[in-house]
Amino acid sequence: MRQPVQFHPLSRAKPIEHPTLSRKGVYIATRSDLGDGTLQWSLEHLTAVLERSQWELQGFLRGIVGDSEQARDLVQDTCYEACRAAQRGTPPFGSTSSSETDMRRWLFRVGYNRAISALRRRRIIHWLPLEHVRLLISFEDESAEGQDVRAALATLTPQDAACLTLIIIHDFTAAEVGQIVGASPQAVAKRFSRAKQRLREAYLAQDPQLEGRRHP
Amino acid sequence: MSQQQPTHVADCAAVARLLPLAGHFLLSADESATLDAHVATCAACRAELAVYDRVEAAWRRTFEPCWETPQLVSRRSMMDILTQEPEQNVPSTTLAVPFTPRARPRRALGSLSAVAATLLIVVLMGGILLARGHGSPASGGTGLTTTIAESTLGDVAMVSPTEGWAVGGSSGTASPAKIVLMHYLDGTWTPVNLPIDGYLTSLSMSSPTEGWAVGQVPLTQPTQSAPLLLHYDGRTWKQVAVSAQNGQPAQVQMLSATDGWMVGQGFTQQAAPLGDIWHYDGQTWTAQLLPASLNASIPLQSAYVSRIAMISPTEGWALGGASSITPSTSFILHFTAGSWKVQRLLTGVSVQSIAMVSASDGWITATGTDNAPLLLRYTGGRWVEATASIGNGGTLGRLLDVFMRSATEGWMTCQARDFRGSPTLLHYDGTKWSVSSLPSITSTSTWDIRGITMISATEGWAVGEHEVKSPNYLTLVTPVILHYHNGRWSDYTWQDYLTPSPHGPSIEIPVG
């Protein structure tokens, strides 16, 4: 007998939804009010969150592993793991007190860990020097700007690139990024600063005009 | 105004560290106020801030989500999983991962029947291995089977047509990763259970009773590893300590039981990174100094040595480069008269591998500017470009590893894949390199060759890895073993691993 765990069957959920907004004002989730004062995730809402997070995750993971196809695989693995966690009732998916922010942070953390494992394997098994992993991979964006970013990416550690993307694009706070990459907020700020400076250096090296305007 | 300049410059220096953090709630209120006040009066720092904004915008444009259809995982697939009964008796995803060798991977999410079949397979395979009595008492057959099934092989060495070894590491979700060691004897590859954390990347056997395998044990930080060395004395593989806490061995080459070399990166010994080349004298491994002349072009702290090819105890070659240098810079080292010297420095070139046939003949694979393949050949006492010998190199992608058996026979792996996901393997016939036919392992996923060894012109082995999507949706990396016989490569299938060997060696597994 099929029995959904930790989730309220759709038929019992009242159609009262509570949309929440990210700091950028992007619609990110809804939860259903069961009518007794509690909010609980429905299957449909959970899958909707996962569905909406997929391309966010793909962009984030592409910045770490540098390869779109591998990033897609990692997203699929992460979504699968989320479904399994939800089925087992593992927090944040099995907890009625969890917010969509908690789910999103969980997805990014699991995706990040999988990406780091993939990089580690790539570097170790086909021996590559440290921090040179992403130099040897495909990168489909061959625009001038894409090449600049590619050159910059090669100078960043995967952890630094992750901090950059999570803060600049996904609007996570330093504390949230710390939970995702396993570091203190102070370490995150330091990584972010270092990554941005390296990015700047790579850009200045590519653009002689900017080079001339370098601060004395 | 001029009197205020020193103070102003000092202010600039003070706020410089704040500039990269601006705009993301990473500054305290005081720091924000200080930065705002300074930028309001300093055009140079405003310009600097604008540069940061510009590079940040470029980063955002490159990595912001691209909302495409169809979804990577469909809602229907997710609903299928969520409405299944939970796998409450399965302790981790590791054991639930099915290994279906050479099975066509499916993108669709799996069902309970697939999981049940997986468990059955794992139990059966574990039972067979246990029945062979090959594992140490501390290891369960299921764990070993899972490790082998979810693993990759990085190198292979044959000591005779009927005996050889292959090394690698587990690549599954199990943590920490375990080394993988396979033994070939009389027609059968069998896993040897060595309960050691880490990966093995290179193997060199100087005789059937003497050999070394090197690798690494990943540390907490993804970019840090401790070196791992195993020695085989004809009866047992033993872990051997080396006087370096960190390090990433890349390759080992043994000329005899008392003469060997190891290269890599990141070895720290005392305060200086001396150990990118190590020599074994039969008793101990000793770090060798890199040529001091390298320091003029490459900071030795970031240097690495990735490949070595010794021709004799008194002559050999090594390849290396430097991390974090733009453009990429590589070097070729030559060992003569008892010391390493820089033979050539290559700017804008990333060297990959080297194979020497003799003191006067050898090959180097590399990547030149614009990622173009670059093949070098040592002839007439110097390295010259020989890319023309691979024909239309533009379709091959990067040149990876080169393996030479003689001056007129060799193999080379390339980055490019065919429509089936197979790697490109080139064969050298003495005059030119041409694409060699490989078996069709899969049509919907990719696989790679990591190591090749030839026993004769008509027989050899290759190992590597195969990346597949399992029926239950996880990405699996499984080992690949190919056998070359009379001009044809064939796939050594998973079932062969499990064939009991009537002459299996008695291997003890002491560690440490």
Side-chain angles (χ1 to χ4, degrees), chain A residues 132, chain B residues 298-299 302-304 320-325 328-331:
Chain A
H132 268 210
Chain B
I298 289 177
S302 64
Y304 60 85
S323 299
S324 309
I325 284 189
S328 56
T329 303
S330 300
F331 52 79

Side-chain angles (χ1 to χ4, degrees), chain A residues 85 90-92 100 108 127 137 156 158 184 201:
Chain A
T90 306
E100 178 163 340
F108 275 85
W127 193 92
I137 54 182
L156 303 182
S184 68
E201 290 300 320

Side-chain angles (χ1 to χ4, degrees), chain B residues 6 9 39 88 104 106 113 143 166 170-171 175 207 247 302 335 352 364 390 421 434 452 455 457 462 471 475 512:
Chain B
V9 170
V39 168
Q88 294 185 352
R104 185 161 299 201
R106 288 181 289 160
S113 60
S170 63
S171 56
S175 182
S207 74
S302 64
F335 183 76
Q352 185 66 32
I364 287 177
I390 58 174
S434 52
I452 295 178
I455 304 159
T475 302

Side-chain angles (χ1 to χ4, degrees), chain A residues 79-95:
Chain A
C79 285
Y80 169 84
E81 201 163 324
C83 290
R84 285 288 181 234
Q87 194 194 34
R88 289 192 299 267
T90 306
F93 301 98
S95 170

Side-chain angles (χ1 to χ4, degrees), chain B residues 179-204:
Chain B
I179 66 166
V180 168
L181 182 67
M182 304 284 295
H183 186 212
Y184 179 76
L185 192 68
D186 296 336
T188 305
W189 285 98
T190 53
V192 176
N193 187 17
L194 287 173
I196 300 174
D197 294 345
Y199 299 84
L200 293 174
T201 54
S202 177
L203 169 73
S204 182

Side-chain angles (χ1 to χ4, degrees), chain A residues 1 62 87 123 145 200, chain B residues 48 61-62 84-85 222:
Chain A
M1 175 188 171
R62 189 163 57 94
Q87 194 194 34
R123 177 172 63 80
E145 183 171 87
R200 167 186 168 277
Chain B
E48 197 78 358
R61 282 191 293 273
T62 304
Q84 288 171 4
E85 291 202 36

Side-chain angles (χ1 to χ4, degrees), chain A residues 94-167:
Chain A
S95 170
T96 55
S97 60
S98 297
S99 66
E100 178 163 340
T101 306
D102 296 330
M103 283 194 197
R104 196 162 160 263
R105 197 162 51 230
W106 186 96
L107 289 170
F108 275 85
R109 181 169 59 78
V110 171
Y112 171 80
N113 288 337
R114 283 188 170 275
I116 293 297
S117 295
L119 281 181
R120 191 200 294 266
R121 187 179 62 79
R122 190 192 296 171
R123 177 172 63 80
I124 291 174
I125 296 303
H126 196 182
W127 193 92
L128 293 170
L130 302 176
E131 298 185 11
H132 268 210
V133 178
R134 285 161 296 149
L135 283 174
L136 298 183
I137 54 182
S138 62
F139 211 91
E140 55 283 336
D141 185 355
E142 290 302 329
S143 66
E145 183 171 87
Q147 289 175 14
D148 288 351
V149 173
R150 177 185 179 180
L153 181 62
T155 69
L156 303 182
T157 66
Q159 293 87 344
D160 291 354
C163 291
L164 214 52
T165 306
L166 289 169
I167 290 173

